[in-house]
Amino acid sequence: MTVIGIDKMSFFSPQQYIDMVELANARGEEPDKYLIGIGQTQQAVIPPTQDVVTMAANAADEMLTASDRKAITMILFATESGIDNSKSGAVYLQRLLGINPYARTIELKQACYAGTFALMQARDYVTLHPTEKVLVIASDIARYGLKTSGEVTQGGGAVAMLVSANPAIAQINQDSQYLSRDVMDFWRPIYADTARVDGKYSANIYQDFFKAIWTRYKQKTGLDINNFQALAFHLPFTKMGLKALRDVLPEASETQQTNLMREFEASRVYNKRIGNLYTGSLYLSLYSLLDNSKTLKAGDHVGMFSYGSGAEGEFYSLTLRPHFKAGLINGQLEELLANRKQITIAEYETIFDNQLSGPLDRQLDTQQDTAKFVLSGLKNEQRQYICH
Ligand code: HMG
């Protein structure tokens, strides 16, 4: 049977960040609360010249060849930070990236979960149409507000994944277990540009979902923790994944516990420095795991826990392909992080309040933004995208 899965992955997040010790000092908190209690060291700051469309374009452009652009027949754009209540981000992306016009373009929403749904749809579609490719995007900006308890868990960025037959990175197995329940742990009313959240409740629901779905997964598949070489989690902040992992670690032998903890550390290297990117967080964690693990090898199983508030969760597995590191862009994250500029908390606060919103036409200063795709302003209530 033809193997279907993730062939390539690419990531983008803007060029500036704040340091969590500086944020803790500015907010009168112990730095260790942010560094250890939350598990974040830095946070991406999104300038007004980037939105979910430009971040997606910057991520996907780096990995797509001319022949990929021709072979893509579907763009699935997962986001909860959409820029329009009607038009999908995927349509803009198709034009910006010069993707085959005979492609379907659609946007998907269910909090942080939508990227996983998109990936599953892509896998099923390519199973039926193995010569075609699907571009999956998970792009978001996590905004809670200045001086809120959620502020330390902000961030943003985009993960692009190409789904194809005979993929380089991993097979997506047909073993998903999922659960949905109407819960008000986190939401964003249509008029608001920051999330509403019941923080501790949301963390409890996340853990409850993980335990319930994991139990069901074991019952349905006959697999257990010993079948996995690594577990990757949706990481709204990296301590959250650690809490979930600790819920199931006692099921593993001592050696297996050590191995899973080691891989977990590899899976949170990048998330610690970017922050939450909602739909993309699980996939940045997967990227981090694949890039930083020194022990994972072909044929290994990676368990994936996806969670989106509101709430929906899913657990499924990936099987790594022989040259899985070849599907990542060599040194991409190292370079991106090395080239970022640290800004002060005062600068971040100004940027946070200066996002493009409202109906008034406005020209943005794009000089400082070195990304290839940028948002240059609003004209006749239409976002203006340019390619540097
Ligand atoms: P808080 O109330 O400021 O923090 O909010 P806290 O008092 O709960 O402290 C956090 C941790 O730091 C605690 O550890 C403290 O003990 C520890 P825990 O008990 O949790 O293990 N701590 C320290 N550790 C070391 N040294 C110290 C120290 N002081 C305290 N000196 C909260 C934290 C996460 C609730 C808040 O930031 C928040 O509301 N964030 C947003 C919501 C969120 O991320 N929820 C996660 C689950 S929901 C989800 O994942 C979905 C989501 O991504 C959205 C979507 O689906 O679209 C959010």
Side-chain angles (χ1 to χ4, degrees):
M1 223 178 73
T2 316
V3 173
I4 311 293
I6 306 170
D7 185 45
K8 297 181 182 181
M9 287 181 89
S10 179
F11 175 75
F12 175 83
S13 184
Q15 70 212 26
Q16 50 198 6
Y17 72 94
I18 49 169
D19 183 85
M20 288 300 96
V21 173
E22 289 197 0
L23 184 66
N25 289 335
R27 301 297 179 248
E29 297 281 5
E30 284 277 320
D32 278 354
K33 173 176 172 183
Y34 288 5
L35 300 175
I36 300 164
I38 298 287
Q40 294 301 128
T41 57
Q42 298 175 350
Q43 182 175 107
V45 176
I46 317 302
T49 47
Q50 291 291 321
D51 65 12
V52 287
V53 169
T54 55
M55 292 196 299
N58 286 314
D61 188 60
E62 268 202 74
M63 75 174 186
L64 296 178
T65 62
S67 86
D68 290 334
R69 288 171 218 243
K70 273 194 203 134
I72 291 170
T73 53
M74 184 147 62
I75 304 172
L76 300 176
F77 196 114
T79 187
E80 56 177 300
S81 324
I83 50 135
D84 194 286
N85 283 329
S86 171
K87 186 169 168 174
S88 134
V91 191
Y92 295 95
L93 202 59
Q94 181 198 33
R95 172 176 61 82
L96 291 173
L97 297 179
I99 288 172
N100 169 26
Y102 297 100
R104 285 175 167 147
T105 50
I106 197 92
E107 189 168 304
L108 302 153
K109 177 178 70 185
Q110 174 32 57
C112 302
Y113 167 74
T116 297
F117 180 81
L119 200 58
M120 294 303 150
Q121 295 308 300
R123 183 224 25 221
D124 293 351
Y125 182 81
V126 176
T127 303
L128 285 176
H129 307 91
T131 58
E132 299 178 24
K133 296 183 182 187
V134 177
L135 176 61
V136 172
I137 298 292
S139 183
D140 266 307
I141 302 171
R143 284 170 64 86
Y144 290 90
L146 302 176
K147 301 175 184 152
T148 62
S149 68
E151 184 180 33
V152 62
T153 66
Q154 294 177 151
V159 178
M161 293 178 275
L162 191 64
V163 174
S164 75
N166 303 314
I169 297 180
Q171 172 169 7
I172 305 170
N173 296 315
Q174 297 270 3
D175 58 357
S176 288
Q177 295 302 321
Y178 31 83
L179 173 68
S180 298
R181 195 187 305 150
D182 183 4
V183 204
M184 294 308 282
D185 62 331
F186 167 107
W187 67 104
R188 183 162 68 84
I190 213 88
Y191 48 79
D193 73 353
T194 51
R196 310 299 188 245
V197 64
D198 189 339
K200 295 212 167 69
Y201 180 55
S202 74
N204 290 338
I205 299 278
Y206 175 118
Q207 276 179 281
D208 290 350
F209 265 55
F210 175 57
K211 285 185 274 189
I213 299 170
W214 172 243
T215 302
R216 190 172 164 86
Y217 180 86
K218 286 185 294 179
Q219 283 163 357
K220 292 275 179 190
T221 62
L223 301 175
D224 63 34
I225 199 158
N226 297 309
N227 295 100
F228 291 95
Q229 283 67 46
L231 296 177
F233 295 88
H234 165 55
L235 295 179
F237 53 96
T238 76
K239 174 79 167 289
M240 190 69 246
L242 184 60
K243 286 181 183 212
L245 180 60
R246 283 179 179 157
D247 282 335
V248 295
L249 270 188
E251 298 173 21
S253 67
E254 248 179 65
T255 314
Q256 171 76 342
Q257 291 193 17
T258 310
N259 292 343
L260 289 173
M261 275 304 298
R262 184 189 60 234
E263 302 306 335
F264 175 73
E265 289 305 332
S267 81
R268 65 168 167 168
V269 172
Y270 298 147
N271 300 67
K272 273 186 183 180
R273 300 182 63 183
I274 297 291
N276 197 355
L277 58 142
Y278 294 157
T279 46
S281 293
L282 170 60
Y283 298 96
L284 177 60
S285 178
L286 173 65
Y287 195 129
S288 185
L289 173 69
L290 300 179
D291 218 11
N292 293 302
S293 171
K294 305 220 172 348
T295 35
L296 285 180
K297 55 187 188 322
D300 280 354
H301 285 101
V302 178
M304 301 282 290
F305 178 62
S306 179
Y307 176 78
S309 283
E312 185 161 358
E314 180 160 336
F315 186 90
Y316 69 96
S317 74
L318 297 173
T319 305
L320 298 185
R321 300 279 285 163
H323 306 291
F324 61 88
K325 289 203 192 233
L328 308 175
I329 297 167
N330 195 15
Q332 184 187 39
L333 259 289
E334 219 171 285
E335 198 183 318
L336 184 146
L337 292 169
N339 289 338
R340 286 196 312 178
K341 177 176 164 251
Q342 186 181 338
I343 57 171
T344 65
I345 301 304
E347 285 167 329
Y348 141 73
E349 289 177 351
T350 304
I351 290 168
F352 190 89
D353 286 334
N354 192 29
Q355 298 299 304
L356 192 64
S357 66
L360 295 182
D361 282 359
R362 200 176 135 195
Q363 182 68 34
L364 295 171
D365 177 8
T366 58
Q367 296 276 334
Q368 305 303 317
D369 194 331
T370 57
K372 180 166 176 185
F373 297 97
V374 297
L375 170 64
S376 65
L378 198 69
K379 197 169 160 196
N380 301 326
E381 294 190 67
Q382 297 167 22
R383 286 189 176 227
Q384 304 297 307
Y385 293 115
I386 55 172
C387 176
H388 272 162

